[in-house]
Amino acid sequence: MRRQLLAIGVATAVFAGGLTLVGDSHAQEKVPGKTKTGVTKLVAQLVGGEVDPGDRRAREEIFLEIDKLIAKRIDKKRVAIRTPSFWVGVIQSGYFSDRKSAKSNRLVTEDMAIELSDGSPGDVPITYFAGKKNNKKTGAKLVVMVLPEGTDAKAYVETNWQANELVLGGSMVVAAITASDKYPIGKQPFLAVFPFLHLREQFNIDANGWYLGGVGAMCGPVQTAASEVMPDRIAALVLDNPPTALTNENSSLFQCVVHHDGETNAAATTYAELNAEGNAAIAKSETSMTELVTWVQGHAGRILPGTYEFVSSTTEEGVDTPWTGSFYIVSPAKRGVPVKLKIAYDREGAAVQIDGENLGEFRLFMNDELLDLSEEVTIVVNGEELVTRKFERRFRDMFEVADEYGEYGRVFPAEYRGFAPSTVPEDAGDGPGEGDPAAGDGDPAPGDGDPAGGDGGAAGGGDGGGDGE
């Protein structure tokens, strides 16, 4: 059984807010066919549900088989372990390999299990539709729309999406859920996560193709969920007549399309200023729904940022949003104070620059899309060089991290754990710190900030293998 958790490339481009996107153009070598075929079958056992994540012995046997396939005698240039897109592809194809897909071209309303902030379980109705070309072999884009209280979700999907020829004849999955006392997303924005987790068990959903949307008054809670709860997990926001724009530093991690009445919309203007190249506005007309669907279908999906800014949502209990996409905040220096980050991976310079305000213990994840792991990498935090060394690629760790956080659209075979020389705001108070900057040597014990409630480590079974360099 999978862990249902949310810790929550294209050509290089630079967007507003200091966000740099990296591509996979440096990894043009092909993975040998024998390696690809064998690894695909074995990975399907790991992520498709055949082997339980807690069955360490069975997983280790599969890891050993994978190790043989990517050994130098077969993959002499070690192409597989150096190609993140290869692993994303085989995980995507393997994740849905062990069961039937829900039927396409059918409008369905069913109960969805959720859990509220006080830990109490609940069931709320969700309506969804998958186009005629949806199939279990190909990852589909998923659009989840949150509707104002009292809205008929079935009628909304049927009239606005199912009726569109592009949706009907395509592979996209569209879902709608109505806000209510049982689904209080306005007060508990993390509830936006559940439809994605629910539907990726029904369909083969592209891990980089999550689109979160809202209609009218629900555009506010949806924007909050996007920027504070899952900014690194969604590909884009889909806003229908948003009253206002609610953005923060994290809003540059995803793109946005605004579908609006009238000639202009204030929220659309704000998003255009944030990212004129990536964000879009579509004025409503007889053909605007087709324009909106075309935008989503043609969207590149979520892309791994090489340079970005991030601010955490932090309470006295800890960090609410510890996972930033390639960087995990184990603990802040002071409780109750947000952690602000600027992260820059420099592949050509073989370095990572991290500027963190109120940052304590952290985990930095790396792959060959962000850095050339065949070379020594220097990690600098708040102006202080913490380490310069060659990091071993461990495919075991890569799978542990993916499974631990339910992150199947990005893979990281290398990791560095350390403590930051923290910069704490003057008004942070005198509360005890959760991370001791003097306690670590760059490879500290796993922290308690793990959303999985586990040991916080990515190295289960990761004592070797995967990289013979």
Side-chain angles (χ1 to χ4, degrees):
M1 182 176 180
R2 299 179 187 82
R3 299 170 184 161
Q4 298 306 319
L5 301 170
L6 181 65
I8 337 189
V10 295
T12 303
V14 179
F15 293 99
L19 176 67
T20 301
L21 306 179
V22 298
D24 201 23
S25 58
H26 57 276
Q28 296 297 326
E29 297 171 283
K30 290 185 178 181
V31 176
K34 186 177 180 180
T35 300
K36 185 174 182 179
T37 300
V39 168
T40 298
K41 293 178 180 179
L42 291 167
V43 168
Q45 296 178 48
L46 284 176
V47 302
E50 183 175 335
V51 176
D52 191 286
D55 190 340
R56 312 299 283 186
R57 177 176 295 180
R59 288 174 67 84
E60 182 60 24
E61 290 177 357
I62 295 175
F63 285 143
L64 289 173
E65 289 300 313
I66 295 176
D67 195 26
K68 292 178 183 178
L69 288 171
I70 63 175
K72 289 184 178 179
R73 64 179 180 274
I74 299 174
D75 186 3
K76 295 181 180 181
K77 295 183 179 180
R78 312 296 284 168
V79 178
I81 195 63
R82 293 189 286 111
T83 309
S85 59
F86 166 72
W87 297 99
V88 170
V90 295
I91 289 174
Q92 180 70 53
S93 64
Y95 185 79
F96 209 77
S97 62
D98 67 329
R99 79 208 119 173
K100 280 186 176 182
S101 172
K103 290 185 178 180
S104 60
N105 194 26
R106 189 176 69 169
L107 189 62
V108 176
T109 298
E110 64 187 22
D111 285 340
M112 176 182 70
I114 64 170
E115 183 177 306
L116 299 173
S117 59
D118 61 3
S120 61
D123 290 301
V124 295
I126 183 172
T127 298
Y128 57 84
F129 175 83
K132 293 178 180 179
K133 290 185 179 180
N134 184 274
N135 64 84
K136 66 176 292 182
K137 294 183 178 180
T138 306
K141 292 185 175 182
L142 169 59
V143 178
V144 173
M145 300 297 294
V146 181
L147 312 178
E149 190 169 348
T151 305
D152 185 333
K154 183 177 180 180
Y156 169 80
V157 174
E158 188 173 27
T159 303
N160 292 277
W161 296 87
Q162 183 182 358
N164 188 277
E165 289 298 324
L166 293 179
V167 175
L168 183 64
S171 62
M172 183 189 301
V173 180
V174 179
I177 183 167
T178 302
S180 66
D181 291 340
K182 292 185 177 181
Y183 188 71
I185 189 171
K187 296 179 180 178
Q188 300 180 30
F190 72 90
L191 292 173
V193 171
F194 286 94
F196 293 97
L197 301 184
H198 179 78
L199 288 166
R200 75 175 182 181
E201 301 306 308
Q202 308 281 355
F203 300 96
N204 184 354
I205 299 298
D206 184 350
N208 294 316
W210 294 11
Y211 295 80
L212 175 63
V215 175
M218 287 302 102
C219 290
V222 160
Q223 290 178 87
T224 299
S227 64
E228 295 185 5
V229 179
M230 48 196 299
D232 63 298
R233 295 305 295 265
I234 65 170
L237 271 175
V238 180
L239 302 179
D240 188 333
N241 276 329
T244 187
L246 300 176
T247 63
N248 65 11
E249 290 91 331
N250 303 343
S251 300
S252 290
L253 289 172
F254 51 83
Q255 293 180 355
C256 178
V257 57
V258 178
H259 191 207
H260 62 87
D261 290 327
E263 294 184 4
T264 61
N265 177 275
T269 300
T270 298
Y271 278 101
E273 293 173 350
L274 184 66
N275 182 353
E277 294 182 52
N279 295 334
I282 300 172
K284 290 188 177 181
S285 68
E286 292 183 358
T287 61
S288 63
M289 195 64 201
T290 295
E291 293 179 54
L292 175 61
V293 174
T294 300
W295 188 92
V296 174
Q297 289 181 336
H299 191 262
R302 183 182 63 153
I303 304 167
L304 181 63
T307 301
Y308 63 97
E309 296 182 23
F310 184 88
V311 59
S312 72
S313 174
T314 310
T315 66
E316 288 296 329
E317 286 70 39
V319 180
D320 290 338
T321 50
W323 178 265
T324 76
S326 59
F327 187 93
Y328 185 82
I329 305 167
V330 176
S331 63
K334 294 289 183 179
R335 293 192 188 96
V337 180
V339 177
K340 295 183 179 181
L341 296 169
K342 291 184 179 180
I343 300 174
Y345 291 84
D346 181 359
R347 194 172 194 278
E348 296 302 318
V352 185
Q353 174 70 48
I354 303 164
D355 293 308
E357 185 177 293
N358 197 40
L359 177 63
E361 186 180 355
F362 66 89
R363 298 169 70 180
L364 174 71
F365 295 95
M366 297 167 278
N367 64 25
D368 283 271
E369 187 175 341
L370 296 166
L371 299 160
D372 183 354
L373 295 177
S374 299
E375 306 295 332
E376 286 191 339
V377 173
T378 298
I379 298 174
V380 178
V381 181
N382 292 337
E384 181 177 321
E385 181 179 322
L386 298 190
V387 65
T388 296
R389 76 164 190 250
K390 187 176 178 181
F391 288 89
E392 182 180 2
R393 302 180 184 94
R394 299 182 177 184
F395 72 85
R396 287 169 170 82
D397 291 13
M398 179 174 68
F399 278 97
E400 292 295 327
V401 171
D403 208 44
E404 184 177 0
Y405 301 122
E407 171 56 276
Y408 301 109
R410 296 170 178 170
V411 294
F412 304 100
E415 172 188 350
Y416 173 78
R417 305 184 184 196
F419 289 92
S422 276
T423 301
V424 183
E426 293 182 0
D427 60 351
D430 299 322
E434 294 185 27
D436 181 3
D441 61 359
D443 192 18
D448 58 4
D450 188 338
D455 62 5
D463 54 346
D467 183 20
E469 298 175 350

